[in-house]
Amino acid sequence: MPQLLRETLSFLLHTLGDFLVLLLLARFYLQAARIPFKQPIGQFVLALTNWIVLPARRIIKPIGVYDSSSLLIAALTAYLMHFSLLWLSPWPYLFADVFSQLALLAAALLELFKMSLYLLFAAAVGQAILSWVTPYHPMMPVFNGLTAPFLRPLRRIIPPISGVDITPLILILLIQLFLNVFVADFEKYLLYQVRLPS
């Protein structure tokens, strides 16, 4: 396969795969946090994921408030994305090896963690901006619902400074630290573990 075509396909697969994973995780977290889907972002997520989630719900039942079908489809999408990207790469891989499959599965789970951090990052940035500009914006309950479980522990440690809550900024810095230092290196390590044929 020509290199330009391979790179184009890899770019499209990665972009579309991550986008679908992001949408499915957004659906999962919005439902888990009991945030209504009436706002524009909720409607957008439903419109782009109903085609795959609703049929899957006939087989995969929700567990309490958790939309297990969205989460499992997100994991499967991440797995297939990494599998396809490795298959398109110029390096030969031994996909039939059990250890290779475990490494791919771990990479898919890490992808879910990474995309979850990106979602939390976007919610924290949106919350920080709106709290300074328009604190009563209709999107504030969505951002508050997604970030509250992570900001509560920080607020116990870091009080407001002159009436300004800086915990969203601390959360943003922590997310960037995880993404840039730990997640990126661990992802490379996992994909390196997919064994080459001897």
Side-chain angles (χ1 to χ4, degrees):
M1 184 184 294
Q3 184 179 353
L4 181 59
L5 179 59
R6 183 187 295 119
E7 289 176 357
T8 303
L9 287 174
S10 295
F11 172 77
L12 289 173
L13 271 172
H14 207 165
T15 303
L16 295 174
D18 274 345
F19 183 60
L20 182 56
V21 168
L22 202 62
L23 288 171
L24 290 163
L25 286 175
R27 184 176 184 134
F28 174 80
Y29 289 123
L30 287 171
Q31 187 167 332
R34 300 186 179 183
I35 299 169
F37 285 89
K38 295 177 182 177
Q39 77 285 348
I41 285 184
Q43 291 297 309
F44 178 77
V45 167
L46 288 180
L48 291 180
T49 56
N50 274 344
W51 66 274
I52 192 169
V53 172
L54 295 183
R57 279 186 181 164
R58 297 173 192 160
I59 304 166
I60 308 164
K61 302 301 179 187
I63 302 171
V65 297
Y66 298 105
D67 183 12
S68 50
S69 55
S70 293
L71 189 61
L72 286 173
I73 296 168
L76 180 61
T77 303
Y79 174 86
L80 291 174
M81 180 187 74
H82 280 296
F83 183 93
S84 302
L85 289 171
L86 284 172
W87 182 72
L88 281 171
S89 70
W91 308 107
Y93 288 98
L94 191 62
F95 290 112
D97 184 72
V98 174
F99 192 78
S100 295
Q101 289 300 319
L102 289 174
L104 275 173
L105 181 60
L109 295 176
L110 184 64
E111 192 74 25
L112 296 191
F113 179 66
K114 182 173 72 173
M115 290 296 107
S116 297
L117 286 179
Y118 279 127
L119 272 175
L120 183 59
F121 179 84
V125 169
Q127 183 185 32
I129 293 171
L130 290 181
S131 66
W132 298 327
V133 181
T134 54
Y136 300 105
H137 192 277
M139 285 303 299
M140 276 301 280
V142 177
F143 295 147
N144 289 336
L146 292 173
T147 59
F150 303 93
L151 291 178
R152 257 186 246 112
L154 290 174
R155 284 173 178 151
R156 293 192 197 107
I157 304 167
I158 306 165
I161 300 172
S162 300
V164 177
D165 180 17
I166 64 164
T167 52
L169 297 177
I170 302 297
L171 180 61
I172 289 166
L173 288 174
L174 289 173
I175 293 168
Q176 285 183 317
L177 177 68
F178 267 96
L179 285 170
N180 296 324
V181 177
F182 301 111
V183 174
D185 288 341
F186 192 46
E187 187 175 39
K188 288 176 188 173
Y189 169 78
L190 285 174
L191 294 175
Y192 182 75
Q193 298 308 307
V194 180
R195 293 182 176 178
L196 297 171
S198 54

